[in-house]
Amino acid sequence: MAIPSEGSELLASPAPLRVAVIGAGYWGPNLARNFKAAPDWELAAIVDMDRARAAKLAAAHGDVAACGSVRELLDTVDVDAVAIATPAHTHHGIALTALRAGKHVLVEKPLADARAKGLEMVAEAETRGLVLMADHTYCYTPAVLKIRELIADGSLGEILFIDSVRINLGLVQPDVDVFWDLAPHDLSILDFILPGGLRPAEVSAHGADPLGTGNACVGHLTFALSGGGMAHVHVNWLSPTKIRQLVVGGSRRTLVWDDLNPQQRLSVYDRGVSLDTQSRSAAERKASAISYRLGDTWSPALPEHEALGQMVAEFASSIWQQRPARTSGAAGLRVLSVLEAVSSSLGAAGRPAAVTGNDFQLEGTR
């Protein structure tokens, strides 16, 4: 949009940025559709090893080039940025190639398949002054943006607990367990809504593989929050019912997000346990009388917009403003660090595993 300048005519809008979507499988078409519709972007190319699939998606969006490799893209099409929607084990190589060619990079979750690879990607972008953004799509939904606002302004009070449930039937993945498949959504949301981001010192993870697939199909993850609270994440490929729910319990109010209830996605409850936390000692607090609040329940009004549309707009803004994106590479790395600790805990029969580099201080920290 044009930007007014005091005492002058409207300034010209910057030219749309040119972007290529790499990967025309499950997620790539969604990215391509949103880049095509965004005024800040010009969809310039689709890249896929299956050239016919790339050509089919490119043709659906008009005058868009189709390429069979990243190398062909960089040699033949002028772009400012790339969006990577390929399997996680390919993210590192594609991102480094694009960054070294001077392109800004958006990467589908998870950032990479190993923390060391993610760290190299973030450092490369930092060195070159380029934007590396994690496609943590849920962070751009109206509900999650509102949750972040309510936590930031103190409406919920001190966070006492978080319980996140993401369960449904399928799809069992052949190359990753249920934590690496589903938990990045929950972890990215927690990183976005918690002041200071996702920085647990250690995690405990328990998983089960009742189907004998070689990977956990049911999983429970717990870790401590600052201030003495606890977070719990439940992920499951085997549930016949689909649940997408987040409960954030605060000292003042408790919030429930039901992502499958479009009529009332968010509910805020002024109900809970009240305890005099101002007592001078633990013994005095223990002896204090516990009372229960039974107040009102309300549902915040939420605007209607597609999260992916907001995400691609944020990608453009971060490039133009030369700043880290709200879901930066550093945010993706914090999620990746927790996932690696989850794998370590699983391998140790659920014993706590330290989270490496949870004090990560490169771009994007808050």
Side-chain angles (χ1 to χ4, degrees), residues 152-184:
D153 68 15
S155 295
L156 304 185
E158 180 184 350
I159 303 304
L160 305 178
F161 71 90
I162 294 176
D163 189 38
S164 186
V165 180
R166 186 173 300 274
I167 66 176
N168 61 275
L169 191 61
L171 295 168
V172 176
Q173 303 295 326
D175 54 342
V176 295
D177 63 26
V178 69
F179 287 107
W180 281 79
D181 181 41
L182 298 182

Side-chain angles (χ1 to χ4, degrees), residues 310-329:
Q310 297 294 306
M311 189 272 297
V312 300
E314 168 65 7
F315 188 30
S317 294
S318 65
I319 292 170
W320 280 328
Q321 296 172 16
Q322 299 181 348
R323 59 166 176 83
R326 297 182 80 178
T327 53
S328 63

Side-chain angles (χ1 to χ4, degrees), residues 9-366:
E9 297 181 356
L10 292 178
L11 299 176
S13 300
L17 297 161
R18 288 170 57 83
V19 65
V21 172
I22 302 174
Y26 169 70
W27 197 242
N30 295 318
L31 289 172
R33 174 173 54 82
N34 278 273
F35 278 120
K36 183 66 176 180
D40 301 332
W41 291 100
E42 178 186 345
L43 180 63
I46 304 294
V47 182
D48 199 281
M49 292 177 62
D50 184 339
R51 184 182 289 274
R53 185 164 65 177
K56 181 178 180 181
L57 181 58
H61 293 293
D63 186 20
V64 176
C67 302
S69 69
V70 176
R71 188 72 269 160
E72 179 187 352
L73 167 73
L74 297 175
D75 288 344
T76 62
V77 184
D78 180 26
V79 296
D80 301 291
V82 302
I84 301 172
T86 59
H89 70 272
T90 67
H91 291 178
H92 172 260
I94 296 173
L96 287 185
T97 297
L99 290 167
R100 289 167 181 167
K103 313 304 179 186
H104 304 282
V105 175
L106 171 72
V107 186
E108 181 187 11
K109 65 85 183 171
L111 188 67
D113 63 344
R115 182 183 182 277
K117 294 180 181 178
L119 183 61
E120 187 177 3
M121 293 159 62
V122 172
E124 188 75 27
E126 181 82 353
T127 298
R128 296 179 179 273
L130 296 168
V131 170
L132 174 65
M133 178 174 174
D135 179 8
H136 291 167
T137 308
Y138 273 101
C139 299
Y140 297 93
T141 60
V144 173
L145 290 168
K146 187 64 175 181
I147 294 170
R148 174 178 162 127
E149 175 189 322
L150 291 172
I151 291 175
D153 68 15
S155 295
L156 304 185
E158 180 184 350
I159 303 304
L160 305 178
F161 71 90
I162 294 176
D163 189 38
S164 186
V165 180
R166 186 173 300 274
I167 66 176
N168 61 275
L169 191 61
L171 295 168
V172 176
Q173 303 295 326
D175 54 342
V176 295
D177 63 26
V178 69
F179 287 107
W180 281 79
D181 181 41
L182 298 182
H185 294 303
D186 306 271
L187 295 174
S188 67
I189 291 167
L190 297 188
D191 183 71
F192 191 71
I193 66 175
L194 290 173
L198 185 67
R199 301 176 187 275
E202 61 181 23
V203 302
S204 296
H206 296 268
D209 179 23
L211 300 182
T213 64
N215 291 312
C217 299
V218 180
H220 292 267
L221 163 64
T222 59
F223 55 88
L225 298 169
S226 61
M230 171 176 281
H232 169 249
V233 177
H234 174 202
V235 287
N236 188 342
W237 281 329
L238 307 182
S239 170
T241 58
K242 184 175 183 178
I243 300 175
R244 299 282 187 272
Q245 187 176 79
L246 175 72
V247 182
V248 182
S251 58
R252 296 184 62 192
R253 297 179 183 87
T254 294
L255 178 147
V256 177
W257 172 32
D258 183 353
D259 193 39
L260 302 183
N261 183 358
Q263 281 74 42
Q264 189 169 326
R265 294 194 191 277
L266 286 187
S267 299
V268 180
Y269 297 84
D270 187 12
R271 307 180 202 167
V273 175
S274 295
L275 183 64
D276 180 10
T277 59
Q278 303 304 313
S279 302
R280 294 183 179 180
S281 68
E284 288 175 325
R285 288 196 300 271
K286 187 175 181 180
S288 298
I290 295 176
S291 61
Y292 296 89
R293 299 189 317 276
L294 297 174
D296 294 333
T297 300
W298 60 285
S299 182
L302 299 175
E304 290 295 329
H305 65 244
E306 184 172 0
L308 269 178
Q310 297 294 306
M311 189 272 297
V312 300
E314 168 65 7
F315 188 30
S317 294
S318 65
I319 292 170
W320 280 328
Q321 296 172 16
Q322 299 181 348
R323 59 166 176 83
R326 297 182 80 178
T327 53
S328 63
L333 187 60
R334 290 193 291 272
V335 171
L336 194 56
S337 297
V338 173
L339 288 172
E340 280 210 343
V342 166
S343 295
S344 297
S345 180
L346 280 178
R351 288 192 295 274
V355 178
T356 302
N358 68 333
D359 58 347
F360 184 68
Q361 292 297 319
L362 282 181
E363 53 85 20
T365 56
R366 293 177 291 162

